[in-house]
Structures are given as structure tokens and as C-alpha cells.
Amino acid sequence: MNKKRIAYIVGTIVLIIIIAYSYFNSNSDKDISLTAKVVKGTFLNEVFISGEAQSTSSKKINGPSNARRFNIYQIKIQDLVAEGTIVKKGDYIGKLDASEVNGKINEAQLNLEKAQSRFTQQQLDTTLTLKQERNSIKDLLFNIEEDSLELERSIYEPPATIRSLENKIEKTARDLKEKKADYSIKKRQANAKMIEVGTEVSKISKRIEELLQLQKEFTIYSDDDGMVTYVKEWNGTKKKVGSTISPWEPAIASLPDLTKMESKTYSNEVDIRKIKKDLPVKVGFDAFPDIELDGIVTDVANVGETKAGSDIKLFQVLIKLNETNNNIRPGMTTSNKILIDKKDDVLMIPLEAIFAKDSISYAYVKSGLSIDKKQVELGPSNNEVVIIYKGLKENDVVYLNKPEDSDDKSITLLK
């Protein structure tokens, strides 16, 4: 037999062995059964939801409070310290765009100059008018005096001449009386006009003072010690340089009280039925895996919200932190374990070990070399295990998948 013939036979034998091994090995894999033991221990039913840390008490850092009085409604943020900056009372926080208030100051200053010019002109006009009136009164007094002297010298003049002088004096006296009355009226008119233009000057001056004070408020300083946190817009984005504030939303940042923190989170429609107020919570932080703080559910929303881009209803849940940690900051992502139920010294098996038929729950239990099909009474469950009230005992071995040729077995019912 030549070498080629021998090599061919050997190769064929090896191939047959490989095929046979693969075939029997694949069949044996099908017969492998996964099992688990019935254990006794503490059952925990927890809901896991992520959230965001926030302070329950914070002081707002607002822009100018009276900008609306001057018809200023939209103010752009021009500068802002970095979020997370630790500040002391009186420290610089940011600056707002003062171009609009500067324009109003310039306009008011021009109006003041015009008003002051009118005031000066009114002063001159008043002075000239009243001077003319006073001179007219003096002239009439002089005429009366002259006519009176002439009357004294005309005692020997004909009666007609004397009567003419008396009439002249009487007429001048009437003119004097009227002129004095006119002077009094014109003086009051002049005073009223002076008050009017003077009031306008004072009003514009006061407006300029208020605008200058408002201008100062466009540079923002901290009212207290704390850590600067940006506030959110109506759409959830945080304010930044270029954002605007208004009289209705004047805050540009806040100083949260880091000793009073909570986790704001949202639960789905299934889990929200389990979550109740005052349930204990373990709060973890993605940024600090080693930190876990105790918390408690303080509020559960009754009405769901629809988030943008989704039709799923979510319900807000607020969790108060019972402890504090210097590393925790608002805006950090939290992982919350809400303890729904806890039972000690109970029997448990994996959920995969429970089967059902005609409303009867049962498990496949190893009994020596055979397998029994036993009815079980179930208790509460979580995402992994279920409590067994009846039907099994500690350390029983149950199957996690359906054993071969077990369909015909009858279920041993509970007594």
C-alpha cells in the first residue's frame, strides 16, 4: 500500500471522528439542565431609577428688579463665572448687556439739557415780563404824583381845568389798580410756569439717577456665600452667556444649600404603582461609585408627564437625602434603589424555575435520580427571585429549564 493511500485512509478516519464528536457533543448539550437550590434569606424588592441631584433650598441670583419700569424686558447675559465656582458674599457673578439702559441714559440726558434750557428761558422771560409790568406801575404812580402836584398848583384855575385834572388822576388811579392786578396775575402765571419747567427738570434728573442705579445693577454680585449653579430655561437647558433674562424670569444663577439635597427622578407607569411616600432609598452617585447615602421618598406625582420625543408617561419622584457629603453637587446623576418590600428568613428560588399550567404554579424538583413536578405557593417577587410559601424546602434543587420527557409527569398538588 503506497503512502498516498495510507494518508487518505487516515484523513478519512480523522474526519469521521470529528463529525461523530460534534454530533454527539451537540446532542449532549441539549440534555444539559440548569439547576438552582432553594435558599433561605432576606428578600428585597427594589425599584432602580436614575435621577439628578438638586438642592431643596437655594437662593436665586437675580438680575435688575425694576428694569420693567423703564420698558426693558429682555436682557442678554454678557458674562458669567463658571458653574461650580465657590463665591463669598459680594463676589462678582456676572455682567448683563447694558446697551439698552445706556441708550435710555443718553436719551434722558438730552431731555434734561432741553428741559434745563427751557427753564433758563422761562426765567429770562419771567424776569423781563415782570420788570416791564413793574416799570409800568412805576410810571403810573409817577403820573399820579405829577398830576396831584399840578392839581395843588391849579387852585386858582377855572373849575373846568381843576375838574379835568381830577378826572385824569382818577383815571390813572384806575389804570394803576388794573395794572397791579395784571402784575399779580402775570406773576402767578410766571411762578406756575417756572414750577412746571422746574418739575420737568427734577423729574428727568431723578429718572437719570434711577437709570444710573439700574446701570450698576447690570453687574451682578453674590448676596451670600455658596457655589454658583446655573438656572434652567423653560426648555430644560441651562442659562449661559448669550441667554436672556426677563422681569418674569429674572434669575441668572442660584446658590444652592448643599446641606439640603434631594434626587429628582422619573418613574415609568409600571414601577410608579409600587412607589409610595416615606419608602427608604439608597442613593448612589455615578461620579463617586463609593458614595451611597440614605434617603427617603418625599413626593410621588399623581399625574404623568410626556418627555420630548417620547410618548411614554413618566411620573416625578422626589427623594430627600438624609445625609450630606462634601463631594455631592447639584446636577450629578444619581442611582436610586427604592426599597419596596423586605422579608427576612424566607425561601426563594429564581423566577426561571417557576412554570405554570391551568393557573397552577409548579417547579421541577430533583428527587434522587428522578424529577418531581411539584405545585408551589408563591409570594412576592422581584426581577430575579420569587418567595416560596409552600411546596419546597431549603436546599431543594430545582430546574431552571424544562427537563426532557417531563410533559407526561403529573403535578404533585399541595395538601
Side-chain angles (χ1 to χ4, degrees):
M1 187 178 293
N2 58 34
K3 293 182 179 178
K4 289 185 178 180
R5 179 74 173 172
I6 294 173
Y8 177 79
I9 295 172
V10 171
T12 302
I13 294 172
V14 170
L15 181 59
I16 293 171
I17 292 172
I18 292 173
I19 293 172
Y21 176 81
S22 299
Y23 176 78
F24 288 110
N25 188 57
S26 63
N27 284 344
S28 63
D29 287 345
K30 294 178 182 178
D31 294 335
I32 292 176
S33 295
L34 299 176
T35 60
K37 282 187 176 182
V38 178
V39 296
K40 178 179 282 190
T42 300
F43 169 82
L44 297 177
N45 186 6
E46 297 173 312
V47 170
F48 297 84
I49 47 177
S50 62
E52 181 179 319
Q54 64 180 21
S55 175
T56 59
S57 175
S58 63
K59 182 175 291 186
K60 297 291 186 183
I61 301 174
N62 295 325
S65 59
N66 62 340
R68 185 168 55 176
R69 284 184 53 206
F70 302 95
N71 298 322
I72 300 175
Y73 298 102
Q74 295 293 328
I75 308 173
K76 186 176 290 186
I77 299 174
Q78 198 172 65
D79 186 39
L80 201 57
V81 298
E83 188 173 32
T85 301
I86 304 298
V87 295
K88 298 290 185 182
K89 184 177 182 179
D91 283 355
Y92 173 82
I93 297 294
K95 192 173 183 180
L96 304 175
D97 182 5
S99 57
E100 189 171 358
V101 71
N102 290 339
K104 291 184 179 294
I105 291 173
N106 292 334
E107 181 184 354
Q109 287 173 337
L110 288 175
N111 292 335
L112 178 62
E113 291 176 4
K114 293 177 181 178
Q116 288 173 332
S117 178
R118 287 194 296 272
F119 182 81
T120 301
Q121 185 63 45
Q122 184 62 38
Q123 278 184 319
L124 294 174
D125 291 346
T126 299
T127 301
L128 181 59
T129 300
L130 294 181
K131 181 179 179 181
Q132 291 174 344
E133 293 297 317
R134 285 193 296 271
N135 288 336
S136 296
I137 290 172
K138 288 179 181 178
D139 290 341
L140 290 173
L141 287 172
F142 179 78
N143 291 337
I144 290 174
E145 186 177 354
E146 286 292 315
D147 291 340
S148 296
L149 290 174
E150 187 176 352
L151 180 63
E152 290 176 4
R153 291 194 295 268
S154 62
I155 56 175
Y156 301 108
E157 294 291 333
T161 302
I162 295 172
R163 183 60 182 166
S164 176
L165 286 172
E166 289 175 345
N167 289 340
K168 186 178 180 181
I169 293 171
E170 185 179 348
K171 181 178 182 302
T172 304
R174 288 198 306 271
D175 291 342
L176 176 63
K177 184 177 180 181
E178 290 178 2
K179 184 59 71 173
K180 285 183 176 179
D182 289 345
Y183 176 80
S184 179
I185 292 172
K186 288 183 178 181
K187 186 176 182 180
R188 288 200 301 271
Q189 288 176 334
N191 288 338
K193 193 67 176 176
M194 289 296 299
I195 291 172
E196 180 183 343
V197 294
T199 300
E200 185 180 2
V201 170
S202 298
K203 183 179 178 181
I204 297 174
S205 298
K206 184 178 180 181
R207 181 179 175 84
I208 291 175
E209 290 178 6
E210 292 172 344
L211 283 168
L212 290 172
Q213 180 59 40
L214 179 65
Q215 186 186 52
K216 293 179 182 179
E217 295 177 12
F218 274 58
T219 301
I220 311 299
Y221 298 94
S222 176
D223 293 333
D224 208 341
D225 299 350
M227 184 188 71
V228 176
T229 302
Y230 295 166
V231 297
K232 291 184 178 180
E233 305 269 16
W234 62 270
N235 58 2
T237 60
K238 289 187 176 182
K239 287 189 183 294
K240 57 184 182 300
V241 173
S243 299
T244 58
I245 64 171
S246 69
W248 302 277
E249 294 181 351
I252 64 171
S254 64
L255 295 175
D257 186 343
L258 301 182
T259 64
K260 299 176 182 178
M261 299 290 289
E262 69 179 1
S263 175
K264 180 181 179 182
T265 182
Y266 290 88
S267 174
N268 59 41
E269 296 179 75
V270 175
D271 289 337
I272 197 66
R273 293 177 295 178
K274 307 174 188 176
I275 301 174
K276 307 295 180 186
K277 191 177 178 181
D278 296 330
L279 286 177
V281 187
K282 291 291 184 181
V283 182
F285 300 86
D286 290 359
F288 301 98
D290 296 334
I291 298 177
E292 187 176 69
L293 305 179
D294 290 327
I296 187 171
V297 176
T298 56
D299 185 73
V300 181
N302 293 320
V303 180
E305 304 176 26
T306 302
K307 293 297 182 180
S310 174
D311 294 331
I312 299 174
K313 289 283 187 180
L314 297 176
F315 296 79
Q316 180 179 280
V317 178
L318 298 180
I319 299 167
K320 177 186 174 184
L321 275 62
N322 297 331
E323 307 171 76
T324 60
N325 187 287
N326 293 333
N327 293 311
I328 306 307
R329 296 287 184 268
M332 285 186 173
T333 302
T334 62
S335 55
N336 308 286
K337 293 188 293 185
I338 304 175
L339 183 59
I340 306 300
D341 191 16
K342 179 181 179 181
K343 297 184 183 299
D344 295 319
D345 296 324
V346 292
L347 297 177
M348 297 172 286
I349 62 173
L351 287 173
E352 295 88 344
I354 298 298
F355 300 86
K357 182 179 181 182
D358 298 331
S359 74
I360 296 177
S361 297
Y362 62 92
Y364 291 101
V365 186
K366 190 172 184 181
S367 179
L369 299 177
S370 63
I371 300 172
D372 293 337
K373 213 172 177 180
K374 291 186 176 181
Q375 182 185 7
V376 291
E377 182 181 333
L378 304 178
S381 64
N382 56 27
N383 293 331
E384 296 177 354
V385 299
V386 59
I387 294 176
I388 302 298
Y389 285 147
K390 291 182 181 180
L392 298 175
K393 61 182 183 298
E394 188 177 5
N395 293 324
D396 278 351
V397 177
V398 294
Y399 288 81
L400 303 183
N401 55 349
K402 188 177 180 180
E404 292 289 332
D405 302 326
S406 60
D407 289 337
D408 297 333
K409 287 182 175 291
S410 60
I411 300 174
T412 303
L413 299 176
L414 294 170
K415 296 180 180 179

